[in-house]
Amino acid sequence: MWMRRPTRYLVLGTAYAAFAAGAAAQDPLRVASPDGRNEVSVEVREGRLQYGIRRDGRMIIMPSVLGFEFRGAPRLRDSLRIMGSSRSSTDTTWTQPWGEVARVRDHHNELRVSVVEAVMPQRRFGVVFRAFNDGVGFRYEFPAQPAIGEFEIMDELTQFAMANEARTWWIPSNISRLDRSEMLYASSPVSRLDSVQTPLTMESQEGTFIVIHEANLVDYPRMFLAGPREQNRTLRAALAPWKDGVKVRGRAPFQTPWRTIQMASRAEDLVPSLLGLNLNPPNVLPGTEWIKPMKYIGIWWGMHIGTMTWNSGPKHGATTETTKRYIDFAAANGIGGVLVEGWNIGWDGDWIKNGEVFSFTQPYPDYDLKGLATYARSKGVKLIAHNETSGGTVNYEKQMDGAYALYQSLGIDAIKSGYVADTTPEGHSHYSQFMVRHHRRAIETAAKHHIMLDVHEPIHDTGERRTYPNMMSREGARGMEYNAWGGEGGNPPEHETILFFTRLLSGPMDFTPGVFDILIERGTGRPRRPDEPRIRTTLAKQLALYITIYSPLQMAADLPENYEKQPAFQFIRDVKVDWDTTRVLHGKIGDYVLVARKARNSPEWFIGAMTDEEARSFDVPLSFLPAGQSYVAEIYADGPNAHWLTNPLPVTISSRPVNSATRLRIAMAPGGGQAVRIRPAQ
Ligand code: NOJ
């Protein structure tokens, strides 16, 4: 590992001196990325602090206003002047305990700008800009000062004035029922946006890819983007509220999360997205050897297709007997974990309203928690506890420490939590500062008890996994379950090719791939009616999702009986879940993705390819393999006449010798895909 210490030098007071001397305008302050391509400029115009971003000399973000609206205090936006600035540079490389890549380079130039109100109450604040080769981040800081003590922010006034009519891929944020981000993406010009979630991916008219998101969300609400209203193409930060409409309660000193603008000249270069990780503090856990990515199966899909229930009764899924069967299946197939949903008291009645009822320690009488933990241990398998809170965080927090201690004592070191609710029982937004604080407490408590987290209906990922690597995966988008009951008949074939360039840029997703019973008839024992949802892929594409949709906790979602005697299941047995290297070979948002990943601590490579409803083929040079070494490619391709609608099941499994000079032909059926394991030849 090589490391250069940050350098820092100050030019404090120069701009202030110019102002005091009555100079009409200050030259903008500028900071550029190490490669010089991305440049931020900062200046005060007519009393307002503004920043703009250029890439390769072209405007990406036009001068955009910064500031805040407070309750009980004047707006902090006008009559500002720059007091000073300082600069520093950093170039370090750090290693992730797990991830899409093992090593991450943090190479950036920083500009800190200190600002003061020229009028009373003369509040001071700073804005820190960091320019990286893959984008820009900035955040506000309020130093401790007499003019700002405790405060309530009603609005963050940050703007992102897009320089031209970029094309965007978005999900809305302003519908009354937020649906927790589980929506299909739409695409439209930026000027048409109303209110959208981040990451917001855009392609500018000259072909630059731009992604607005946030990093290091601590003690602050989640950010959305309100669409252009007064000015064309200007997006504005919008924050999720407490019940009373306040967005942020704080006390100086205080800092906001980073606002991030990732930039790339090709869609392929957006992945892996590392900007947000570099803007989070390093790992704070003393040891991470207990944090282990794994594959898992679960008593789960049965509830979604209606063959099992979470609640007690004749179809109760979480029974001792069924769980043992799942543990045996996992042990026999090298699957690390077994998730069990519906094991704990609280599911009876309308469970979505049971936020104050759930017990996180007391099992249903037909579920022998302790006996099963012992049984799982004897088979080398981990039980994964399910904690559905239905948004009742107060009830959950009362039990959290005790429940996590119990799980730890039983050797249960992973939890899938759930927050099915649009507001908390107290009335705060699902994405409010109140909820951000809760999630941070859950991560810290879990870390204390050596527990990994997989959060459903989460707040979007802002890179928490760097600081707390036990924060493994989350949902936060429309996953597999919509194929069981989603109103529109299931996710369309293009869905995952959009997720890859939008939601997945924020972090891993527990999408839960791998359903083999694509028509969902073997599980339910009856053919689906044509109007019922089903999985709109081929079977080979289900395998490809293990590579394309990154998650360190990766599920084999189907019922174990649907994997029996299926040769294609061998791929799920073999596939890895932790990566040393990730290379996007080809990608077009909404059309196709081909990605190659090298497994961590292993010489094996995997390729995942997926397409939308069009058949496509590619010649893929395997030049990423080390020269002079012989490999075998095990190929799971769409079979003859495969088609997501009419003929989804045929998979052709073949193997052939390959090396770094091979060009591999990857042909995909409509709605199809391909999965390839490349292992050293014996
Ligand atoms: C929604 C989650 O996404 C799903 O995985 C889970 O089974 C249910 N909530 C119940 O918690």
Side-chain angles (χ1 to χ4, degrees):
M1 173 159 146
W2 62 285
M3 188 181 272
R4 211 163 69 207
R5 294 193 70 76
T7 55
R8 184 170 289 274
Y9 47 96
L10 295 176
V11 284
L12 264 176
T14 49
Y16 179 66
F19 183 89
Q26 303 167 354
D27 282 342
L29 298 164
R30 296 183 197 279
V31 62
S33 54
D35 66 2
R37 295 183 68 185
N38 302 327
E39 188 192 62
V40 187
S41 58
V42 188
E43 64 185 319
V44 170
R45 276 198 205 169
E46 294 170 3
R48 293 185 179 181
L49 182 68
Q50 306 191 345
Y51 77 98
I53 298 179
R54 283 173 196 273
R55 180 171 168 83
D56 298 332
R58 273 206 213 106
M59 287 310 296
I60 297 289
I61 297 192
M62 304 292 287
S64 297
V65 169
L66 299 166
F68 292 93
E69 193 84 59
F70 290 94
R71 178 145 93 176
R75 174 185 296 152
L76 185 58
R77 186 191 64 184
D78 305 312
S79 309
L80 300 177
R81 69 185 185 216
I82 292 175
M83 293 166 67
S85 62
S86 66
R87 291 166 186 279
S88 63
S89 297
T90 296
D91 189 358
T92 60
T93 298
W94 54 281
T95 302
Q96 306 202 79
W98 51 266
E100 276 186 289
V101 291
R103 288 161 66 68
V104 180
R105 184 174 179 189
D106 175 358
H107 190 197
H108 68 260
N109 294 322
E110 179 181 289
L111 169 70
R112 289 176 167 263
V113 182
S114 316
V115 183
V116 66
E117 276 177 305
V119 295
M120 290 303 284
Q122 292 187 323
R123 290 166 294 183
R124 287 180 292 118
F125 69 100
V127 187
V128 185
F129 295 89
R130 287 191 184 165
F132 300 78
N133 294 346
D134 56 348
V136 167
F138 66 87
R139 76 167 171 213
Y140 299 89
E141 294 179 345
F142 299 114
Q145 58 193 292
I148 307 183
E150 282 194 12
F151 58 80
E152 291 179 335
I153 292 176
M154 300 306 288
D155 263 316
E156 183 185 314
L157 302 176
T158 307
Q159 294 183 347
F160 306 87
M162 303 314 297
N164 63 39
E165 187 65 299
R167 179 173 177 192
T168 65
W169 287 264
W170 55 273
I171 50 175
S173 66
N174 61 344
I175 52 177
S176 57
R177 187 165 178 272
L178 282 172
D179 250 340
R180 305 170 292 272
S181 310
E182 297 164 13
M183 283 164 280
L184 294 176
Y185 279 78
S187 182
S188 51
V190 66
S191 64
R192 303 279 176 79
L193 295 185
D194 185 356
S195 183
V196 297
Q197 305 196 24
T198 72
L200 173 67
T201 302
M202 298 178 255
E203 181 180 2
S204 75
Q205 280 177 333
E206 70 277 352
T208 302
F209 290 85
I210 307 158
V211 183
I212 300 181
H213 189 44
E214 62 180 317
N216 195 26
L217 174 56
V218 184
D219 202 14
Y220 203 83
R222 172 181 172 167
M223 179 179 77
F224 300 105
L225 294 171
R229 229 179 318 168
E230 300 133 27
Q231 291 154 294
N232 212 3
R233 302 195 303 264
T234 297
L235 302 166
R236 291 163 293 122
L239 306 176
W242 291 75
K243 183 184 179 186
D244 60 2
V246 172
K247 307 294 180 5
V248 189
R249 300 191 139 87
R251 144 176 289 283
F254 190 85
Q255 63 191 24
T256 69
W258 294 90
R259 277 63 190 93
T260 59
I261 299 107
Q262 191 186 347
M263 288 175 282
S265 303
R266 303 178 326 139
E268 287 92 334
D269 295 338
L270 291 172
V271 181
S273 175
L274 304 170
L275 177 68
L277 285 177
N278 274 327
L279 290 168
N280 273 266
N283 172 29
V284 293
L285 303 183
T288 55
E289 61 300 329
W290 52 274
I291 301 175
K292 295 201 177 85
M294 65 175 162
K295 287 173 272 188
Y296 71 97
I297 55 168
I299 297 181
W300 176 77
W301 187 237
M303 283 78 146
H304 290 270
I305 60 175
T307 59
M308 293 174 172
T309 59
W310 285 281
N311 55 276
S312 59
K315 292 206 285 182
H316 187 213
T319 65
T320 302
E321 197 193 330
T322 306
T323 308
K324 277 194 172 158
R325 181 160 65 83
Y326 275 58
I327 292 170
D328 291 345
F329 180 86
N333 291 286
I335 306 263
V338 174
L339 163 74
V340 185
E341 298 205 358
W343 65 275
N344 56 320
I345 300 285
W347 289 92
D348 294 301
D350 182 355
W351 61 265
I352 292 181
K353 301 213 172 85
N354 286 359
E356 279 145 1
V357 174
F358 279 111
S359 164
F360 299 100
T361 51
Q362 211 193 332
Y364 276 113
D366 54 351
Y367 186 79
D368 175 10
L369 174 64
K370 293 195 173 142
L372 284 165
T374 309
Y375 186 73
R377 237 188 347 264
S378 75
K379 297 269 176 169
V381 169
K382 297 281 187 182
L383 279 182
I384 301 175
H386 182 231
N387 288 179
E388 175 57 65
T389 67
S390 291
T393 54
V394 172
N395 176 44
Y396 191 35
E397 285 191 25
K398 268 192 232 145
Q399 302 181 50
M400 204 154 69
D401 198 49
Y404 290 9
L406 171 69
Y407 305 154
Q408 186 178 18
S409 74
L410 295 174
I412 297 173
D413 59 6
I415 293 174
K416 170 180 168 180
S417 56
Y419 294 85
V420 174
D422 296 312
T423 55
T424 69
E426 303 78 22
H428 310 303
S429 154
H430 192 81
Y431 299 122
S432 58
Q433 183 182 24
F434 175 90
M435 285 300 279
V436 170
R437 287 178 179 169
H438 163 75
H439 284 288
R440 191 46 71 126
R441 279 195 286 271
I443 295 173
E444 287 171 357
T445 311
K448 184 175 107 187
H449 293 291
H450 285 196
I451 284 173
M452 301 179 271
L453 287 180
D454 168 15
V455 183
H456 278 232
E457 302 82 34
I459 294 184
H460 60 191
D461 195 326
T462 70
E464 291 77 4
R465 64 192 183 281
R466 178 170 182 195
T467 316
Y468 291 96
N470 63 315
M471 180 60 249
M472 307 289 282
S473 195
R474 42 188 119 192
E475 189 186 36
R478 211 170 132 119
M480 178 66 78
E481 64 191 23
Y482 278 78
N483 295 324
W485 42 254
E488 301 88 344
N491 301 326
E494 67 170 12
H495 180 57
E496 297 88 354
T497 70
I498 303 176
L499 283 183
F500 187 81
F501 293 107
T502 52
R503 157 67 182 82
L504 268 293
L505 299 178
S506 67
M509 178 180 176
D510 188 29
F511 180 88
T512 66
V515 174
F516 279 22
D517 182 11
I518 286 178
L519 301 176
I520 316 179
E521 51 192 14
R522 287 196 297 275
T524 54
R526 64 173 178 82
R528 295 224 127 188
R529 294 189 314 270
D531 60 322
E532 283 184 290
R534 48 157 291 191
I535 303 164
R536 298 180 180 181
T537 66
T538 64
L539 198 130
K541 183 171 175 181
Q542 288 295 305
L543 301 177
L545 296 177
Y546 285 84
I547 314 301
T548 55
I549 302 216
Y550 169 61
S551 180
L553 298 176
Q554 190 71 285
M555 189 175 200
D558 211 341
L559 309 174
E561 49 269 38
N562 288 339
Y563 293 134
E564 302 284 6
K565 302 199 183 71
Q566 291 276 353
F569 186 62
Q570 187 58 40
F571 184 80
I572 298 182
R573 288 194 192 100
D574 291 337
V575 71
K576 304 283 198 282
V577 289
D578 191 17
W579 308 109
D580 178 82
T581 311
T582 288
R583 302 240 176 103
V584 183
L585 307 170
H586 296 284
K588 188 150 189 267
I589 307 178
D591 289 353
Y592 55 86
V593 173
L594 281 81
V595 57
R597 304 198 200 251
K598 181 185 173 294
R600 187 102 178 237
N601 302 321
S602 154
E604 294 189 12
W605 282 80
F606 289 81
I607 298 176
M610 58 184 184
T611 179
D612 61 359
E613 64 290 339
E614 301 282 331
R616 296 176 201 276
S617 50
F618 294 85
D619 265 331
V620 176
L622 302 185
S623 49
F624 50 78
L625 295 174
Q629 296 188 29
S630 305
Y631 291 84
V632 174
E634 298 171 357
I635 300 167
Y636 297 74
D638 286 321
N641 303 319
H643 189 293
W644 71 270
L645 181 61
T646 52
N647 192 23
L649 297 179
V651 180
T652 301
I653 305 175
S654 61
S655 66
R656 57 169 282 196
V658 294
N659 59 37
S660 63
T662 308
R663 291 180 80 87
L664 196 65
R665 180 140 188 92
I666 293 198
M668 298 180 277
Q674 191 167 133
V676 184
R677 174 192 185 206
I678 302 175
R679 59 166 175 82
Q682 302 307 335

